Amino acid sequence: NTVVIEQKVIPKRYATETVVYAPNAESIITDKDNNIYYIQDNKVMIYKNGLTSVYVDVEKEYADIEVTDIYRGWEFQIECIIYDSKRNTILGGMVSRNHHWIFVDLKTKEILVADAGYAVSPLVALNGDIIYGYGSNRGRYGIANLSTGQSSNQEISDEMYQQEYVSIAIINNKFCFFGLDDYQANYFQYDPSKNGFTQTTVKKFDTALRDSYIGTDGTNFYYTKDFNIYQVTPTKQVNQWLGYEEIDFQDQTAITGSGELVFDQEGNILFYDDNVESIRRIKKLN
């Protein structure tokens, strides 16, 4: 006449934690020392040793930047930042009010590409000296060469343009594009012989995607659905990588909203949580 009540024990693999209060943070990246950089109100902020400070104030430090005689004195807005491991510096993608794009070494103020020629948006991927960018508002992707200062751009396909949530990456030295468009996840890989992309549908869903996060660690793509994180490998296989219970275990807060998933140097995930206006971390537990 004994009743035994057992409770399922969920292993503590990950914990979700708030890193720093940062309203409207965009383009989150880390450097080799795992310092966090992000854009906020036309400034590039740095979170280092538990403290936040201004790394670059674009309005003050780039108020009179001279790109060419035509664009002298035009105000620039910072749109994206990239960590350049080769130069160990932070690069900034900036746009003027007439949509003139430049890439700048934010440490030295050296203009590396004086006319990027395409709408970059925060979606950029760096491979050696080549920056790949995707401009969703114009349906184009572009290539900027840091060593030559030259750039080019090309229209994307209608299928790529229809993706609601998008991430890009360099995988196996190829420019790759991953998108979610309501009921399916699609993988696009650049094919030099075709000068275009080959598309593979990697997953179809019974219900429409809403408020998804999407990102890459440079090897695989990841996306969220129903508070779980899924991994898409270069072989197009989809695995549930991290479940709701693991993400939610410690502080009862799951991923909600939409935006980018960013992997830091230790394999933890950074993302911007609009609910608390903060950068948060899904941290591995020992």
Side-chain angles (χ1 to χ4, degrees), residues 199-272:
Q199 177 185 350
T200 302
T201 298
V202 295
K203 184 76 172 179
K204 293 187 177 181
F205 310 109
D206 295 330
T207 57
L209 290 160
R210 293 289 182 269
D211 301 326
S212 294
Y213 284 83
I214 187 168
T216 177
D217 60 3
T219 303
N220 305 295
F221 287 104
Y222 300 82
Y223 66 91
T224 61
K225 178 175 171 56
D226 301 328
F227 310 118
N228 301 314
I229 298 180
Y230 294 84
Q231 179 193 74
V232 181
T233 69
T235 58
K236 321 298 190 300
Q237 294 178 338
V238 179
N239 305 306
Q240 180 173 313
W241 185 69
L242 197 58
Y244 169 80
E245 292 179 329
E246 293 165 327
I247 299 171
D248 192 46
F249 184 85
Q250 185 153 329
D251 62 2
Q252 300 302 307
T253 303
I255 293 183
T256 58
S258 63
E260 292 180 274
L261 294 175
V262 179
F263 286 77
D264 67 14
Q265 304 301 319
E266 298 175 353
N268 304 313
I269 299 175
L270 298 172
F271 65 100
Y272 178 70

Coordinates of all heavy atoms in Angstrom, one line a residue, residues 199-272:
Q199 N 19.5 25.8 -53.8 CA 18.6 25.8 -52.7 C 18.2 24.3 -52.3 O 18.0 23.5 -53.2 CB 17.3 26.5 -53.1 CG 16.2 26.5 -52.0 CD 14.9 27.1 -52.4 OE1 14.8 27.8 -53.4 NE2 13.9 27.0 -51.6
T200 N 18.1 24.1 -51.0 CA 17.6 22.9 -50.5 C 16.7 23.2 -49.3 O 17.0 23.9 -48.4 CB 18.8 22.0 -49.9 OG1 19.7 21.7 -50.9 CG2 18.3 20.7 -49.4
T201 N 15.5 22.6 -49.4 CA 14.5 22.7 -48.3 C 14.9 21.7 -47.2 O 14.8 20.5 -47.5 CB 13.1 22.6 -48.7 OG1 12.8 23.6 -49.7 CG2 12.1 22.6 -47.6
V202 N 15.3 22.1 -46.1 CA 15.8 21.1 -45.1 C 14.7 20.7 -44.1 O 14.9 19.7 -43.4 CB 17.0 21.7 -44.3 CG1 18.1 21.9 -45.3 CG2 16.6 23.0 -43.6
K203 N 13.6 21.5 -44.0 CA 12.6 21.1 -43.0 C 11.3 21.8 -43.3 O 11.3 23.0 -43.7 CB 13.1 21.6 -41.6 CG 12.2 21.2 -40.4 CD 12.3 19.8 -40.0 CE 11.5 19.5 -38.8 NZ 11.6 18.0 -38.4
K204 N 10.2 21.1 -43.2 CA 8.9 21.6 -43.4 C 8.1 21.5 -42.0 O 8.3 20.6 -41.3 CB 8.1 20.9 -44.5 CG 8.7 21.2 -45.9 CD 7.8 20.6 -47.0 CE 8.4 20.9 -48.3 NZ 7.6 20.4 -49.4
F205 N 7.3 22.5 -41.8 CA 6.6 22.6 -40.5 C 5.1 22.5 -40.7 O 4.6 23.0 -41.7 CB 6.9 23.9 -39.7 CG 8.4 24.2 -39.6 CD1 9.0 25.2 -40.4 CD2 9.2 23.4 -38.8 CE1 10.4 25.4 -40.3 CE2 10.6 23.6 -38.7 CZ 11.1 24.7 -39.5
D206 N 4.4 22.0 -39.7 CA 2.9 21.9 -39.7 C 2.3 23.3 -39.4 O 1.2 23.6 -39.8 CB 2.4 20.8 -38.8 CG 2.9 19.5 -39.2 OD1 3.0 19.2 -40.4 OD2 3.1 18.6 -38.3
T207 N 3.0 24.0 -38.5 CA 2.5 25.4 -38.1 C 3.5 26.4 -38.6 O 4.7 26.2 -38.7 CB 2.3 25.4 -36.6 OG1 3.6 25.1 -36.0 CG2 1.3 24.4 -36.2
A208 N 3.0 27.6 -38.8 CA 3.8 28.7 -39.2 C 4.8 29.2 -38.2 O 4.5 29.1 -37.0 CB 3.0 29.9 -39.7
L209 N 6.0 29.6 -38.6 CA 7.0 30.1 -37.7 C 6.6 31.5 -37.3 O 6.2 32.3 -38.1 CB 8.4 30.1 -38.4 CG 9.0 28.8 -38.7 CD1 10.0 28.9 -39.8 CD2 9.6 28.2 -37.4
R210 N 6.8 31.8 -36.0 CA 6.6 33.1 -35.5 C 7.7 33.5 -34.5 O 8.1 32.7 -33.7 CB 5.2 33.2 -34.8 CG 4.0 33.0 -35.7 CD 3.8 34.2 -36.5 NE 2.6 34.1 -37.4 CZ 2.6 33.6 -38.6 NH1 3.7 33.2 -39.1 NH2 1.5 33.6 -39.3
D211 N 8.2 34.7 -34.7 CA 9.1 35.3 -33.7 C 10.4 34.4 -33.5 O 10.8 34.1 -32.4 CB 8.5 35.5 -32.3 CG 7.3 36.5 -32.5 OD1 7.4 37.4 -33.3 OD2 6.3 36.3 -31.7
S212 N 10.9 33.9 -34.6 CA 12.1 33.0 -34.5 C 13.4 33.8 -34.3 O 13.6 34.9 -34.8 CB 12.2 32.1 -35.7 OG 11.1 31.3 -35.8
Y213 N 14.3 33.1 -33.6 CA 15.7 33.6 -33.6 C 16.5 32.7 -34.6 O 16.2 31.5 -34.8 CB 16.3 33.4 -32.2 CG 15.9 34.5 -31.3 CD1 14.7 34.4 -30.6 CD2 16.7 35.6 -31.0 CE1 14.4 35.4 -29.6 CE2 16.4 36.6 -30.1 CZ 15.2 36.4 -29.4 OH 14.8 37.4 -28.5
I214 N 17.5 33.2 -35.2 CA 18.3 32.5 -36.2 C 19.7 33.0 -36.2 O 20.0 34.1 -35.9 CB 17.7 32.7 -37.6 CG1 18.3 31.7 -38.6 CG2 17.7 34.1 -38.1 CD1 17.6 31.7 -40.0
G215 N 20.7 32.0 -36.4 CA 22.1 32.4 -36.3 C 23.0 31.3 -36.7 O 22.5 30.2 -37.1
T216 N 24.3 31.5 -36.6 CA 25.3 30.6 -37.0 C 26.5 30.7 -36.2 O 26.8 31.7 -35.6 CB 25.7 30.8 -38.5 OG1 26.7 29.8 -38.9 CG2 26.2 32.2 -38.7
D217 N 27.2 29.5 -36.0 CA 28.5 29.5 -35.3 C 29.6 29.4 -36.3 O 30.8 29.2 -36.0 CB 28.6 28.4 -34.3 CG 28.4 27.0 -35.0 OD1 28.3 26.9 -36.2 OD2 28.4 26.0 -34.2
G218 N 29.3 29.6 -37.6 CA 30.3 29.5 -38.7 C 30.5 28.1 -39.2 O 31.2 27.9 -40.2
T219 N 29.9 27.1 -38.6 CA 29.9 25.8 -39.0 C 28.5 25.2 -39.3 O 28.3 24.6 -40.3 CB 30.6 24.8 -38.0 OG1 31.9 25.3 -37.7 CG2 30.7 23.4 -38.5
N220 N 27.6 25.6 -38.5 CA 26.2 25.1 -38.6 C 25.3 26.4 -38.4 O 25.7 27.4 -37.9 CB 25.8 24.1 -37.5 CG 26.8 22.9 -37.5 OD1 26.8 22.2 -38.5 ND2 27.5 22.8 -36.5
F221 N 24.0 26.2 -38.9 CA 23.0 27.2 -38.7 C 22.1 26.7 -37.5 O 22.0 25.5 -37.3 CB 22.2 27.4 -39.9 CG 22.9 28.2 -41.0 CD1 23.4 27.5 -42.1 CD2 23.0 29.5 -40.9 CE1 24.0 28.2 -43.1 CE2 23.7 30.3 -41.9 CZ 24.2 29.6 -43.0
Y222 N 21.5 27.7 -36.8 CA 20.6 27.4 -35.7 C 19.3 28.2 -35.8 O 19.4 29.4 -36.3 CB 21.3 27.6 -34.4 CG 22.5 26.8 -34.2 CD1 23.7 27.2 -34.7 CD2 22.5 25.6 -33.4 CE1 24.9 26.4 -34.6 CE2 23.6 24.8 -33.3 CZ 24.8 25.3 -33.8 OH 26.0 24.5 -33.7
Y223 N 18.2 27.7 -35.4 CA 17.0 28.5 -35.4 C 16.1 28.0 -34.2 O 16.3 26.9 -33.7 CB 16.2 28.4 -36.7 CG 15.6 27.0 -37.0 CD1 14.3 26.7 -36.6 CD2 16.4 26.1 -37.7 CE1 13.8 25.4 -36.9 CE2 15.8 24.9 -38.1 CZ 14.6 24.5 -37.6 OH 14.1 23.3 -37.9
T224 N 15.2 28.9 -33.8 CA 14.3 28.5 -32.7 C 12.9 28.3 -33.2 O 12.5 29.0 -34.1 CB 14.3 29.7 -31.6 OG1 13.8 30.9 -32.2 CG2 15.7 29.9 -31.0
K225 N 12.3 27.4 -32.6 CA 10.8 27.1 -32.8 C 10.3 26.5 -31.6 O 10.8 25.5 -31.1 CB 10.7 26.2 -34.1 CG 9.2 25.9 -34.4 CD 9.0 25.1 -35.6 CE 7.6 24.6 -35.8 NZ 6.6 25.6 -35.8
D226 N 9.1 27.0 -31.1 CA 8.5 26.5 -29.9 C 9.5 26.5 -28.8 O 9.5 25.5 -28.0 CB 7.9 25.1 -30.2 CG 6.9 25.2 -31.3 OD1 6.2 26.2 -31.5 OD2 6.7 24.2 -32.0
F227 N 10.3 27.5 -28.6 CA 11.3 27.6 -27.5 C 12.4 26.6 -27.6 O 13.2 26.6 -26.6 CB 10.6 27.6 -26.2 CG 9.4 28.5 -26.1 CD1 8.1 28.0 -25.9 CD2 9.5 29.9 -26.2 CE1 7.0 28.9 -25.8 CE2 8.5 30.7 -26.2 CZ 7.2 30.2 -26.0
N228 N 12.5 25.8 -28.6 CA 13.6 24.9 -28.7 C 14.6 25.4 -29.8 O 14.2 26.2 -30.6 CB 13.1 23.5 -29.2 CG 12.2 22.9 -28.2 OD1 12.4 22.9 -27.0 ND2 11.1 22.3 -28.7
I229 N 15.9 25.0 -29.7 CA 16.9 25.4 -30.7 C 17.2 24.2 -31.5 O 17.5 23.1 -31.0 CB 18.1 26.0 -30.0 CG1 17.8 27.2 -29.2 CG2 19.2 26.3 -31.0 CD1 19.0 27.8 -28.4
Y230 N 17.2 24.4 -32.9 CA 17.5 23.4 -33.8 C 18.7 23.7 -34.6 O 19.0 24.9 -34.9 CB 16.3 23.2 -34.8 CG 15.1 22.7 -34.1 CD1 14.2 23.5 -33.5 CD2 14.8 21.3 -34.1 CE1 13.0 23.0 -32.9 CE2 13.6 20.8 -33.5 CZ 12.8 21.7 -32.8 OH 11.7 21.2 -32.2
Q231 N 19.5 22.7 -34.9 CA 20.7 22.8 -35.6 C 20.6 22.2 -37.0 O 20.0 21.2 -37.2 CB 21.8 22.0 -34.9 CG 23.2 22.1 -35.6 CD 24.2 21.1 -35.0 OE1 24.1 19.9 -35.2 NE2 25.1 21.6 -34.2
V232 N 21.1 23.0 -38.0 CA 21.1 22.5 -39.4 C 22.6 22.4 -39.8 O 23.3 23.4 -39.8 CB 20.4 23.5 -40.4 CG1 20.4 23.0 -41.8 CG2 19.0 23.8 -39.9
T233 N 23.0 21.2 -40.1 CA 24.4 20.9 -40.4 C 24.6 21.2 -41.9 O 23.7 21.3 -42.7 CB 24.7 19.5 -40.1 OG1 24.0 18.6 -41.0 CG2 24.3 19.1 -38.7
P234 N 25.9 21.3 -42.3 CA 26.2 21.5 -43.8 C 25.6 20.4 -44.7 O 25.5 20.5 -45.9 CB 27.7 21.5 -43.8 CG 28.1 22.0 -42.5 CD 27.1 21.4 -41.5
T235 N 25.3 19.2 -44.1 CA 24.8 18.1 -44.8 C 23.2 18.2 -44.9 O 22.6 17.3 -45.3 CB 25.2 16.7 -44.2 OG1 24.7 16.7 -42.9 CG2 26.7 16.6 -44.3
K236 N 22.7 19.3 -44.4 CA 21.3 19.6 -44.5 C 20.5 18.8 -43.4 O 19.2 18.9 -43.5 CB 20.7 19.4 -45.9 CG 21.5 19.8 -47.0 CD 21.8 21.3 -47.1 CE 22.5 21.7 -48.4 NZ 23.7 21.0 -48.7
Q237 N 21.1 18.1 -42.5 CA 20.4 17.4 -41.5 C 20.0 18.4 -40.4 O 20.7 19.3 -40.0 CB 21.3 16.3 -40.9 CG 21.6 15.2 -41.9 CD 22.5 14.2 -41.3 OE1 23.2 14.4 -40.3 NE2 22.5 13.0 -41.9
V238 N 18.8 18.1 -39.8 CA 18.2 19.0 -38.8 C 18.2 18.2 -37.5 O 17.6 17.1 -37.5 CB 16.8 19.5 -39.2 CG1 16.3 20.3 -38.0 CG2 16.9 20.3 -40.4
N239 N 18.7 18.7 -36.4 CA 18.7 18.0 -35.1 C 18.1 19.0 -34.1 O 18.5 20.2 -34.2 CB 20.0 17.6 -34.7 CG 20.7 16.7 -35.7 OD1 20.1 15.7 -36.1 ND2 21.9 17.0 -36.2
Q240 N 17.3 18.5 -33.1 CA 17.0 19.4 -32.0 C 18.3 19.4 -31.1 O 18.7 18.5 -30.6 CB 15.9 18.8 -31.2 CG 15.5 19.7 -30.0 CD 14.3 19.3 -29.2 OE1 13.3 19.1 -29.9 NE2 14.4 19.3 -27.9
W241 N 18.8 20.6 -31.1 CA 20.1 20.8 -30.4 C 20.0 21.2 -28.9 O 20.7 20.7 -28.1 CB 20.8 21.9 -31.2 CG 22.2 22.2 -30.7 CD1 23.3 21.3 -30.8 CD2 22.7 23.3 -30.0 NE1 24.4 21.9 -30.3 CE2 24.1 23.1 -29.8 CE3 22.1 24.5 -29.6 CZ2 24.9 24.0 -29.1 CZ3 22.9 25.4 -28.9 CH2 24.3 25.2 -28.7
L242 N 19.0 21.9 -28.6 CA 18.8 22.4 -27.2 C 17.3 22.5 -26.9 O 16.6 23.2 -27.7 CB 19.5 23.7 -26.9 CG 19.8 24.1 -25.5 CD1 20.6 23.0 -24.8 CD2 20.5 25.4 -25.4
G243 N 16.8 21.8 -25.9 CA 15.4 21.8 -25.7 C 14.9 22.9 -24.7 O 15.7 23.5 -24.0
Y244 N 13.6 23.1 -24.7 CA 13.0 24.2 -23.9 C 13.4 24.0 -22.4 O 13.7 24.9 -21.7 CB 11.5 24.2 -24.1 CG 10.7 25.0 -23.1 CD1 10.7 26.4 -23.2 CD2 10.1 24.4 -22.0 CE1 10.0 27.2 -22.3 CE2 9.4 25.2 -21.1 CZ 9.4 26.6 -21.2 OH 8.7 27.3 -20.3
E245 N 13.3 22.7 -21.9 CA 13.5 22.4 -20.5 C 15.0 22.8 -20.1 O 15.2 23.2 -19.0 CB 13.2 21.0 -20.2 CG 11.7 20.7 -20.3 CD 11.4 19.2 -20.0 OE1 12.2 18.4 -20.3 OE2 10.3 19.0 -19.5
E246 N 15.9 22.5 -21.1 CA 17.3 22.8 -20.8 C 17.5 24.3 -20.7 O 18.2 24.8 -19.9 CB 18.2 22.1 -21.8 CG 18.2 20.6 -21.7 CD 18.8 20.0 -22.9 OE1 18.6 20.5 -24.1 OE2 19.4 18.9 -22.8
I247 N 17.0 25.0 -21.7 CA 17.1 26.5 -21.8 C 16.4 27.1 -20.6 O 16.9 28.1 -19.9 CB 16.5 27.0 -23.1 CG1 17.2 26.5 -24.3 CG2 16.6 28.6 -23.1 CD1 16.6 26.8 -25.6
D248 N 15.3 26.6 -20.2 CA 14.4 27.2 -19.2 C 14.7 26.7 -17.8 O 14.1 27.2 -16.9 CB 12.9 26.8 -19.6 CG 11.9 27.6 -18.9 OD1 12.1 28.8 -18.8 OD2 11.0 27.0 -18.4
F249 N 15.6 25.8 -17.6 CA 15.7 25.1 -16.4 C 16.0 26.0 -15.2 O 15.3 25.9 -14.2 CB 16.8 24.0 -16.4 CG 16.8 23.2 -15.2 CD1 16.0 22.1 -15.0 CD2 17.7 23.5 -14.2 CE1 16.1 21.3 -13.9 CE2 17.8 22.7 -13.1 CZ 17.0 21.6 -12.9
Q250 N 17.0 26.9 -15.3 CA 17.4 27.6 -14.1 C 16.6 28.8 -13.7 O 16.3 29.0 -12.5 CB 18.9 28.0 -14.3 CG 19.5 28.6 -13.0 CD 21.0 28.4 -12.9 OE1 21.5 27.4 -13.4 NE2 21.7 29.3 -12.3
D251 N 16.3 29.6 -14.6 CA 15.6 30.9 -14.3 C 14.2 31.0 -14.8 O 13.6 32.0 -14.8 CB 16.4 32.1 -14.7 CG 16.6 32.1 -16.2 OD1 16.1 31.3 -16.9 OD2 17.3 33.1 -16.6
Q252 N 13.7 29.9 -15.4 CA 12.3 29.9 -15.9 C 12.0 30.9 -16.9 O 10.9 31.5 -17.0 CB 11.3 30.0 -14.7 CG 11.4 29.0 -13.7 CD 11.2 27.6 -14.2 OE1 10.2 27.3 -14.9 NE2 12.1 26.7 -14.0
T253 N 13.0 31.2 -17.8 CA 12.9 32.2 -18.8 C 13.3 31.5 -20.1 O 14.4 31.1 -20.3 CB 13.7 33.4 -18.6 OG1 13.3 34.0 -17.4 CG2 13.5 34.4 -19.7
A254 N 12.4 31.4 -21.1 CA 12.7 30.8 -22.4 C 13.0 31.9 -23.4 O 12.7 33.1 -23.1 CB 11.5 29.9 -22.9
I255 N 13.5 31.5 -24.5 CA 13.7 32.5 -25.6 C 12.4 32.9 -26.2 O 11.6 32.0 -26.7 CB 14.6 31.9 -26.7 CG1 16.0 31.7 -26.1 CG2 14.7 32.8 -27.9 CD1 17.0 31.2 -27.1
T256 N 12.1 34.2 -26.2 CA 10.9 34.7 -26.9 C 11.3 35.9 -27.7 O 12.2 36.6 -27.3 CB 9.8 35.0 -25.9 OG1 10.2 36.0 -25.0 CG2 9.3 33.8 -25.2
G257 N 10.6 36.2 -28.7 CA 10.9 37.4 -29.5 C 11.5 36.9 -30.8 O 11.2 35.8 -31.3
S258 N 12.3 37.8 -31.5 CA 13.0 37.4 -32.7 C 14.3 38.2 -32.8 O 14.4 39.3 -32.2 CB 12.1 37.7 -33.9 OG 11.8 39.1 -34.0
G259 N 15.2 37.6 -33.6 CA 16.5 38.3 -33.7 C 17.6 37.3 -34.1 O 17.3 36.2 -34.6
E260 N 18.8 37.7 -33.7 CA 20.0 36.9 -34.0 C 20.4 36.0 -32.8 O 20.4 36.5 -31.7 CB 21.1 37.8 -34.5 CG 20.9 38.5 -35.8 CD 22.1 39.3 -36.1 OE1 22.2 40.5 -35.7 OE2 23.0 38.8 -36.8
L261 N 20.8 34.8 -33.1 CA 21.6 34.0 -32.2 C 23.1 34.2 -32.5 O 23.5 34.0 -33.6 CB 21.2 32.5 -32.3 CG 19.8 32.1 -31.9 CD1 19.6 30.7 -32.2 CD2 19.5 32.4 -30.4
V262 N 23.9 34.5 -31.5 CA 25.3 34.8 -31.7 C 26.1 33.9 -30.8 O 25.8 33.8 -29.6 CB 25.7 36.3 -31.4 CG1 27.1 36.5 -31.7 CG2 24.8 37.2 -32.3
F263 N 27.1 33.2 -31.3 CA 27.9 32.3 -30.5 C 29.2 33.0 -30.1 O 29.9 33.6 -31.0 CB 28.3 31.1 -31.3 CG 27.1 30.1 -31.4 CD1 26.1 30.3 -32.3 CD2 27.1 29.0 -30.6 CE1 25.0 29.4 -32.4 CE2 26.0 28.1 -30.7 CZ 25.0 28.3 -31.6
D264 N 29.5 33.0 -28.8 CA 30.8 33.7 -28.4 C 31.9 32.7 -28.5 O 31.8 31.6 -29.0 CB 30.6 34.3 -27.0 CG 30.4 33.2 -25.9 OD1 30.7 32.0 -26.2 OD2 30.0 33.6 -24.8
Q265 N 33.1 33.1 -28.0 CA 34.3 32.3 -28.2 C 34.3 31.0 -27.3 O 35.1 30.1 -27.6 CB 35.5 33.2 -27.8 CG 35.7 34.5 -28.6 CD 35.8 34.2 -30.1 OE1 36.4 33.3 -30.5 NE2 35.1 35.1 -30.9
E266 N 33.4 31.0 -26.4 CA 33.3 29.8 -25.5 C 32.2 28.9 -25.9 O 31.9 27.9 -25.2 CB 33.2 30.2 -24.0 CG 34.4 31.0 -23.5 CD 34.2 31.6 -22.1 OE1 33.1 31.4 -21.6 OE2 35.1 32.1 -21.6
G267 N 31.5 29.2 -27.0 CA 30.4 28.3 -27.4 C 29.1 28.7 -26.8 O 28.1 28.0 -27.0
N268 N 29.0 29.7 -25.9 CA 27.7 30.2 -25.4 C 27.0 31.0 -26.4 O 27.5 31.5 -27.4 CB 28.0 31.0 -24.1 CG 28.8 30.3 -23.1 OD1 28.6 29.2 -22.8 ND2 29.8 31.0 -22.6
I269 N 25.7 31.1 -26.2 CA 24.8 31.8 -27.1 C 24.5 33.2 -26.6 O 24.0 33.3 -25.4 CB 23.5 31.0 -27.4 CG1 23.8 29.7 -28.1 CG2 22.6 31.8 -28.4 CD1 22.6 28.8 -28.3
L270 N 24.6 34.2 -27.4 CA 24.2 35.6 -27.0 C 23.0 35.9 -27.9 O 23.0 35.6 -29.1 CB 25.3 36.6 -27.2 CG 26.6 36.4 -26.4 CD1 27.7 37.4 -26.9 CD2 26.3 36.6 -24.9
F271 N 22.0 36.6 -27.3 CA 20.9 37.1 -28.1 C 20.3 38.3 -27.4 O 20.5 38.5 -26.2 CB 19.8 36.0 -28.3 CG 19.2 35.6 -27.0 CD1 17.9 36.1 -26.6 CD2 19.8 34.7 -26.1 CE1 17.3 35.6 -25.5 CE2 19.2 34.3 -25.0 CZ 17.9 34.7 -24.6
Y272 N 19.6 39.1 -28.2 CA 19.0 40.3 -27.6 C 17.5 40.0 -27.3 O 16.8 39.5 -28.1 CB 19.0 41.5 -28.6 CG 18.3 42.7 -28.0 CD1 18.8 43.4 -27.0 CD2 17.0 43.1 -28.6 CE1 18.2 44.5 -26.5 CE2 16.4 44.2 -28.0 CZ 16.9 44.9 -27.0 OH 16.3 46.0 -26.5

